[in-house]
Amino acid sequence: MTEYDDKFSELLEKFNKQYDQDEIEKIVLAYEVAKNAHDGQCRYSGEPYIIHPVAVADILFDLGMDYESIIAALLHDTVEDTETGLDKISELFGQDVANLVDGVTKLGKVPLETKEERQAENVRKMFMAMSVDIRVIIIKLADRLHNMRTLDFMREQKRRDKALETIEIYAPIAHRLGIRTVKEELEDLAIRYLDPVAYEDIGLILSNTEANHPNFIPDTISRIKTRVQNIIPDAKIDGRRKSIHGIYRKMYMQNKDFSEIYDVYAVRVIVDSVIDCYNCLGIIHDMYHSLPGRFKDYISTPKSNMYQSLHTTVISEEGIPFEVQIRTWEMHYTAEYGIAAHWKYKLGVTGTSKFEERLAWIRQLLESQKDSDDVEEIVKTIKTDFVPDDVFVFTPKGDVINIPYGATVIDFAYAIHTEVGHKMVGAKVDGKIVPLDYKVKTGQIVEVLRTSDPNKGPSRDWLNIVTTTSARTKIRSWFKRERRSENIECGCEEFEKELRKNNIRLFDEELESFTQKVAERRGFDNILDFFAAIGYGSVSMEKVIPFMKDEYSKLLKSTEVVPDEIVVSKKPKTYKSNEGVIVEGIDNCLVKFSKCCNPLPGDEIIGFITRGHGVSIHKRDCTNVPMTLKSALEPDRWINVYWDKNVKEEFNATLDILCLSQIGMFASISSALASMHVDIRSINTRNTKDGTTVLTLTIAVNGVEHLNTVIKHLRKINGVLSVERTGV
């Protein structure tokens, strides 16, 4: 008998305590099939490969999973790495096991362009399988956990890649499923490889802290047990130390000192009923001084992953802060094992609807992704919507809305109802008007201000403000449904703008063929559908640009002729104008800035020789600048111009400011501009039907960076809904 046979025999002794004889026989058969299939294969450590599936099966057993999950764990790499097919697995172990193995198996030879797209498609496939059988992701988490435990044997870059994928995708999924033990170990292992210096520093701080207070947790447990057992005799009390990643997040991501972390130590009290939870809370607050603002009631308001518990932070007699968590046994099973508690403790077996409700988010996620043409959207959702911290916000009627940390008032509106978001024109937080990019906090009361105008819809700018995928998807869906012609026009403008920005200049007959090829590489047969997708935000131009450059490079290689650009050859002689613009090849001429686009230092510019008026300066992406040489009426009149690096003149820039119609609004805006020493050259106002006002201001700035800073400050003013530069 080999060493790995010995390991499986040890595991089999554990299995005998939980599974019946028929199930054990199938597990043994699965082991034999896996061992034969992986015969001759080794891991990076040099160990026989069968060690890995056995270890994954062991992790799943500790989570309390059923025998089919154990079989799938033993076989999970056979289809991907050996000649064993799904048909063989289905024949020997049934279709359910075959489906589990298929769900865990990565995609094969799929024609995807980038590593990120391959990753995203694998995650999408996994979620599709999860929607049918949640055990798929639990097996995958166990698989990833063992891989992370044995990461030392991989080369350094591979370790970092795996660790980053783990902390960005798999740990958030474990959190969303409520499997705390797996989540925390995955996070700690990932940080060990991503930031080894910080990992060691935190470990050293914890070691020193425990050395100074070696008996703190045991002594605290003893004191609490003495008081609590007089009233709740069956209470179980234990303690723990906060995970390294939990401390890392607060020290390095929230910039807190170790002394500012009040839950490094935690004591957990488990009782039989909800009433006992609140009685126990009273005892704790009678024993210790509580820290203000550190009490959280997750029993009445559960987290999105169904976590329930009472949290309170108190100060010990030694002056050490620690957290006390109070929960029932059922809450404890859910807190530790999450969705896996369904199998380990048979929770929800009689209440199938409750179990299905806990899985509804998976189907909602897939539903929100079905209209997206961006394969990486599902990964973005995991990174943004599965954050560990939730925010609990109230409507004016007292309803609690649970949204991710960092969500804005627009996200809040869409979390209430899609139509509430579509009709939103502003928001009040605790009775005060706030900008649309305001990020809500736990305990705040948020009122969404809506319009009755049936034609009112969301703004495209909101796509850059919202943080939740749900809100972004609903905004895109509205534009896709209601504004197709507008989307096509907007998408076409975006596409042409990038052509100009990247100096891709083509003759008209080449442009259509070029655009068709770029559209096809993004999965579109029709150019109009491609432009529409760009217009409503489903396709990001950032993802299109590499294809544009690649196709243009192929076109140049095939023709070996570069189309003439709307420029003239550089000449040694240049002229520096009083306006801070250098004109190539022309001396002693008048320079003026075109009002159609109001160019500023920092913008890419081009000049047009006007008869009797010198050179007119336009932005390169101005609508009055032709895209191609052929389309220009007089191509010889377009000329290269540049900003002088030492330009110090002030320039006019025009802004459209959309704000609420309220007293003092203009005073707030003018005061903000005055504080930034920005001169207002002209102003115009007009009221809209939906109760807002548009202020058109012309101000003096010294360049694009200065203007962007001004816009950023104006957007923070209460009542300002949007600020846009005109002529862009």
Side-chain angles (χ1 to χ4, degrees):
M1 182 178 284
T2 62
E3 178 185 351
Y4 48 86
D5 285 331
D6 288 339
K7 289 183 181 297
F8 180 71
S9 296
E10 294 173 8
L11 189 56
L12 208 55
E13 291 181 13
K14 296 164 65 175
F15 290 165
N16 281 318
K17 299 174 183 178
Q18 182 163 325
Y19 309 123
D20 61 36
Q21 193 57 40
D22 289 342
E23 294 169 345
I24 292 294
E25 290 176 3
K26 290 181 180 179
I27 291 173
V28 172
L29 176 60
Y31 172 72
E32 294 296 334
V33 170
K35 185 174 74 169
N36 293 332
H38 291 295
D39 186 38
Q41 295 180 348
C42 293
R43 307 197 79 219
Y44 285 98
S45 63
E47 294 178 305
Y49 195 88
I50 192 64
I51 290 289
H52 171 62
V54 169
V56 174
D58 193 11
I59 293 170
L60 288 170
F61 177 80
D62 290 340
L63 289 174
M65 299 305 294
D66 61 346
Y67 83 98
E68 287 184 329
S69 300
I70 301 297
I71 293 172
L74 293 169
L75 299 169
H76 78 274
D77 278 333
T78 54
V79 173
E80 186 176 338
D81 297 335
T82 76
E83 298 300 320
T84 306
L86 283 173
D87 291 342
K88 182 69 173 176
I89 292 175
S90 178
E91 178 187 338
L92 292 174
F93 305 102
Q95 191 58 45
D96 285 349
V97 171
N99 290 340
L100 290 175
V101 173
D102 183 45
V104 177
T105 301
K106 293 178 183 175
L107 292 171
K109 297 178 181 179
V110 180
L112 296 171
E113 296 285 343
T114 65
K115 173 185 172 184
E116 290 75 16
E117 287 185 346
R118 287 194 296 273
Q119 179 195 65
E121 281 292 6
N122 281 317
V123 173
R124 189 195 293 267
K125 180 195 176 197
M126 188 170 63
F127 268 76
M128 292 288 289
M130 282 169 60
S131 67
V132 177
D133 194 331
I134 192 64
R135 292 176 295 178
V136 166
I137 190 57
I138 301 176
I139 296 169
K140 189 63 182 176
L141 288 172
D143 173 44
R144 178 50 62 106
L145 181 56
H146 184 252
N147 282 333
M148 290 298 294
R149 287 174 177 174
T150 55
L151 212 54
D152 281 335
F153 299 102
M154 290 186 175
R155 64 181 188 274
E156 183 177 353
Q157 187 56 50
K158 189 78 170 178
R159 290 200 300 263
R160 291 185 62 82
D161 290 344
K162 285 280 186 185
L164 184 62
E165 184 181 53
T166 296
I167 205 163
E168 287 188 339
I169 296 176
Y170 291 98
I173 291 174
H175 165 73
R176 192 63 180 80
L177 293 170
I179 311 176
R180 184 191 66 83
T181 51
V182 173
K183 165 190 169 286
E184 290 189 352
E185 187 174 354
L186 285 175
E187 289 173 336
D188 282 0
L189 289 169
I191 287 298
R192 178 185 167 194
Y193 295 104
L194 291 173
D195 197 341
V197 174
Y199 184 89
E200 292 296 329
D201 287 347
I202 293 171
L204 182 62
I205 292 172
L206 290 173
S207 297
N208 292 337
T209 302
E210 290 177 354
N212 293 332
H213 308 283
N215 299 315
F216 176 73
I217 288 182
D219 290 348
T220 302
I221 290 173
S222 177
R223 290 193 199 110
I224 294 175
K225 185 177 291 185
T226 302
R227 285 286 303 272
V228 169
Q229 284 189 337
N230 291 330
I231 300 172
I232 311 170
D234 296 329
K236 175 177 170 48
I237 305 172
D238 58 23
R240 64 155 183 85
R241 188 195 70 194
K242 193 174 185 67
S243 69
I244 288 181
H245 177 261
I247 296 172
Y248 179 91
R249 282 182 61 243
K250 294 194 174 183
M251 288 184 66
Y252 293 91
M253 298 169 71
Q254 299 179 19
N255 200 29
K256 290 186 177 181
D257 188 80
F258 184 78
S259 61
E260 297 178 275
I261 303 174
Y262 300 129
D263 57 350
V264 173
Y265 297 114
V267 173
R268 186 165 46 212
V269 182
I270 309 172
V271 294
D272 293 328
S273 68
V274 173
I275 292 175
D276 287 342
C277 289
Y278 289 99
N279 286 337
C280 187
L281 177 68
I283 296 171
I284 298 299
H285 282 176
D286 183 53
M287 292 179 65
Y288 301 100
H289 291 293
S290 61
L291 286 180
R294 298 284 305 178
F295 170 67
K296 297 174 183 176
D297 186 349
Y298 293 122
I299 292 180
S300 62
T301 310
K303 289 188 176 183
S304 56
N305 61 3
M306 305 303 290
Y307 176 88
Q308 288 183 287
S309 193
L310 297 177
H311 288 195
T312 185
T313 303
V314 296
I315 301 291
S316 70
E317 295 174 357
E318 300 89 346
I320 300 172
F322 67 98
E323 186 176 71
V324 180
Q325 301 170 356
I326 309 167
R327 60 180 72 141
T328 66
W329 282 103
E330 184 173 345
M331 293 173 192
H332 176 65
Y333 300 149
T334 300
E336 293 298 294
Y337 299 97
I339 206 71
H342 175 76
W343 289 273
K344 187 173 181 70
Y345 296 101
K346 306 299 184 287
L347 297 180
V349 172
T350 56
T352 307
S353 61
K354 183 178 179 182
F355 183 68
E356 290 296 317
E357 180 185 336
R358 294 189 60 182
L359 303 183
W361 63 271
I362 300 172
R363 284 178 281 279
Q364 291 169 2
L365 173 65
L366 293 172
E367 183 71 20
S368 69
Q369 301 303 319
K370 73 177 183 179
D371 291 330
S372 176
D373 300 299
D374 187 352
V375 295
E376 297 176 44
E377 190 71 35
I378 198 165
V379 174
K380 294 176 187 174
T381 302
I382 294 169
K383 292 179 182 180
T384 57
D385 291 10
F386 290 13
V387 293
D389 298 321
D390 293 324
V391 175
F392 301 93
V393 188
F394 296 92
T395 68
K397 294 182 179 180
D399 297 326
V400 179
I401 303 296
N402 187 354
I403 49 181
Y405 178 82
T408 66
V409 288
I410 303 178
D411 294 297
F412 172 82
Y414 278 102
I416 295 173
H417 193 277
T418 302
E419 287 304 313
V420 173
H422 288 344
K423 299 300 180 185
M424 180 181 189
V425 293
K428 290 183 178 180
V429 173
D430 294 335
K432 297 180 180 179
I433 294 285
V434 296
L436 292 181
D437 61 355
Y438 180 86
K439 295 180 179 179
V440 296
K441 302 176 182 64
T442 293
Q444 291 181 327
I445 300 174
V446 180
E447 179 185 354
V448 178
L449 306 177
R450 290 178 283 171
T451 178
S452 57
D453 184 355
N455 297 318
K456 171 69 171 68
S459 165
R460 292 184 189 275
D461 295 337
W462 293 4
L463 291 170
N464 300 320
I465 297 175
V466 295
T467 62
T468 62
T469 305
S470 174
R472 188 173 291 109
T473 301
K474 290 174 181 178
I475 295 169
R476 287 174 180 168
S477 296
W478 187 88
F479 278 104
K480 184 177 183 179
R481 184 179 67 251
E482 303 287 343
R483 297 285 191 273
R484 177 169 171 80
S485 59
E486 182 184 320
N487 291 334
I488 293 172
E489 183 180 350
C490 182
C492 183
E493 289 177 2
E494 280 287 308
F495 188 77
E496 291 179 350
K497 180 179 178 181
E498 289 300 330
L499 288 176
R500 285 191 290 267
K501 188 181 292 185
N502 290 280
N503 242 352
I504 299 174
R505 297 187 178 273
L506 303 166
F507 296 117
D508 290 348
E509 60 268 20
E510 295 173 316
L511 184 58
E512 184 175 353
S513 173
F514 172 83
T515 307
Q516 180 67 41
K517 289 178 181 178
V518 174
E520 287 173 354
R521 290 187 64 175
R522 286 301 300 175
F524 294 89
D525 297 327
N526 185 294
I527 292 178
L528 294 182
D529 289 342
F530 174 57
F531 284 155
I534 295 173
Y536 68 77
S538 177
V539 171
S540 166
M541 281 306 302
E542 290 181 3
K543 298 295 177 63
V544 176
I545 291 169
F547 297 119
M548 293 168 58
K549 291 181 177 178
D550 189 37
E551 284 298 327
Y552 190 55
S553 177
K554 290 178 183 177
L555 182 63
L556 295 182
K557 286 179 181 178
S558 65
T559 60
E560 294 186 353
V561 176
V562 180
D564 294 332
E565 296 183 5
I566 310 174
V567 296
V568 297
S569 58
K570 292 187 178 180
K571 297 181 180 180
K573 187 177 180 181
T574 60
Y575 168 72
K576 180 180 178 183
S577 78
N578 294 330
E579 287 77 13
V581 172
I582 297 172
V583 182
E584 281 193 353
I586 297 181
D587 194 8
N588 217 16
C589 69
L590 176 68
V591 170
K592 70 171 185 175
F593 298 99
S594 60
K595 294 183 179 180
C596 55
C597 56
N598 294 324
L600 297 173
D603 290 325
E604 293 187 22
I605 53 176
I606 191 168
F608 183 73
I609 302 171
T610 59
R611 294 183 176 90
H613 297 285
V615 176
S616 178
I617 308 299
H618 293 261
K619 289 178 61 181
R620 281 262 182 181
D621 58 1
C622 175
T623 54
N624 290 323
V625 176
M627 269 190 61
T628 64
L629 180 61
K630 186 176 179 180
S631 63
L633 294 176
E634 298 174 277
D636 293 337
R637 293 171 66 184
W638 292 98
I639 188 168
N640 273 353
V641 294
Y642 307 96
W643 293 108
D644 181 0
K645 293 181 180 179
N646 299 317
V647 60
K648 296 180 180 179
E649 287 81 0
E650 286 192 331
F651 299 82
N652 287 343
T654 304
L655 300 177
D656 276 346
I657 304 174
L658 179 65
C659 57
L660 297 177
S661 298
Q662 59 185 28
I663 297 173
M665 195 72 255
F666 176 67
S668 299
I669 293 171
S670 59
S671 175
L673 291 172
S675 68
M676 292 183 280
H677 306 287
V678 174
D679 184 30
I680 300 175
R681 299 282 172 85
S682 68
I683 181 169
N684 183 43
T685 66
R686 60 183 175 86
N687 294 325
T688 63
K689 294 180 180 179
D690 59 9
T692 59
T693 298
V694 176
L695 297 177
T696 301
L697 297 180
T698 299
I699 59 176
V701 293
N702 57 34
V704 171
E705 288 187 10
H706 185 199
L707 178 63
N708 290 337
T709 300
V710 172
I711 291 174
K712 182 179 179 181
H713 281 82
L714 291 177
R715 284 174 174 165
K716 293 180 179 180
I717 298 174
N718 288 343
V720 171
L721 305 180
S722 67
V723 183
E724 299 300 330
R725 176 185 175 186
T726 63
V728 177

